[in-house]
Amino acid sequence: MDTRRYRMVVTSGLDYVTTGAKVDSRLRSWLREPPKSYDVAAFAEGRNEIARGVTLDHDSATGTSGAYGRWRLRESLPGGTWQTTLLVRQAGSGPTRVQLDVEHLPDDPDTLPVPAKTPRLARSLLDVLDALDGIADVTAQPQVVEAEDVDDIIDELCDETRRLPIVVASTPHGVDFDTWLEDTVDPLFRPLAGLAILYVLVPEAEIRFNRAMEYHRVYGGGVRTYLSGVDPAWPADGQRHRVMSRRMLTEQPSRARRVLAQLPQQLAARTPLPVEFDSVPVMRTRTRGDSNAPELERLRVENEALLEILEEAGREQRVRADEIRDLKHELRKAENNETLLIAEYDEQYRELHMVRAQLLTLQKHLMKVGAGAAAYTPVSAPEDVPESFEELLGRIGRLPRLHFTGSRKVTLELDAQAYGSSWVRMTWDALLALRDFAEAAATKRTGCDFKQWCSGAPEGVRTISPRKIVRDESKTVKNNSAWRRERTFPVPEHVSSARKVFMGAHVRVGGGNTIAPRLHYYDGARAERGIYIGYIGPHLTNTLT
């Protein structure tokens, strides 16, 4: 999937003709105004070159299968071409859909495209189209939710026809709502125009919302992204819908904007287009208005041959469209099923985590004051667990005899995943267990490896399930040079003269298979130097991935 492309797909609240007229008007204004300042009048005069290296093409058709109108802008710049495609489509008596794509086409096919930002054109279109996704309004700015609106918002969250995520912001206690909206929420949501449905709760609405959405709450200035298929009555479902804390919004606003936009961008790229788009033919570029007749005749002959090729390609495309769509739907269904399984696992893990923390507290009290006194000792609250991988990385340095040598950037990207909060908790548990194991090795209290240690560690120390620990990679992985390099990470020279070692030992984070992250470590010098964490990130390449 191409997550570097910007894609907006909405349903217009207007009829097809009115939608087409407003789209055409907004497109021309966008092209005419700074910073583009293109000669749109040239297009009206029959020329498709509206500036040097810039072309604008248009095609349309009306028939038994419905109608469509399409515009394609191509801007040639050093390194590649920026292409903007705008499509208005109505099939039969169905709704009018609008699709906007912006993508970079590199001149060098081996070069990655430049990621597309949310264009001003998207916000301009949303201002005039009365756009919808399912039963929800799609707007460029966040909609303010009052207490009486909460029931409607919950209906939209549960709407089975919704394609876009819903992003809901809460308001911190004691903060002026209008100031919070203008200074924090508006800039945070700006990149999400056309990618998500945007709401901000006033304090009274927040109370009512959280009372109704017990397992899906958002509060304290946090922001929550709700995927499709929300089930308010199922606790495990709450794990699918990621929360961003107020601290990240206020302390790192630029990073918060980037992280918050990543999931909607991924969803826009992988969600199948509405079925009516499949029957729209490939766009054909025709030469317009030129006085050089002989040159035009040559181009006409060449174009006719190209058109025949395109027509054949179009026929093949239509034959394969249904098959591709079915495969996409099956893939999406499989992804959703895996997501639900992970959410259910995470709920069970969270409950286990709380029980274990209470048990450890009781054990410490028992050792200090005896069983009789401990019976009257209150159980302390669960320990302070990092809320994000960024916070986790900041704390690793405080754990004695653990050394992180991996890529911070790779680890931080996990914060953009839908299950990040549970993954953070599980990773932190693994690090605490590794810390206690390293301390035991340094004081000669154990001579076994980490997996064996977790199988029979003494009371009062941190462990994780031995089934989550893999002592080494398979022979297939180790014998594949590319896969072996992926698992070779930096260590200090006093550990290895090559300043890097293969780290086959790893911990499985989360309940999934290839979707869940991995923590790779090296404990070959644990007694003398401690344990080196070379990688915390997405599952590395193997036969399954």
Side-chain angles (χ1 to χ4, degrees), residues 473 487 489 503 505-506 518-521 532-535 540:
E473 294 285 10
R487 293 158 174 82
F489 303 108
M503 299 189 187
H506 60 272
R518 295 292 186 264
L519 181 156
H520 285 256
Y521 64 91
Y532 293 86
I533 313 296
Y535 180 84
L540 296 170

Side-chain angles (χ1 to χ4, degrees), residues 466-485:
R467 288 178 294 181
K468 299 179 72 66
I469 304 167
V470 180
R471 288 189 171 103
D472 200 1
E473 294 285 10
S474 66
K475 290 183 178 179
T476 303
V477 170
K478 290 194 288 186
N479 291 336
N480 183 300
S481 58
W483 296 352
R484 187 178 181 88
R485 281 196 301 272

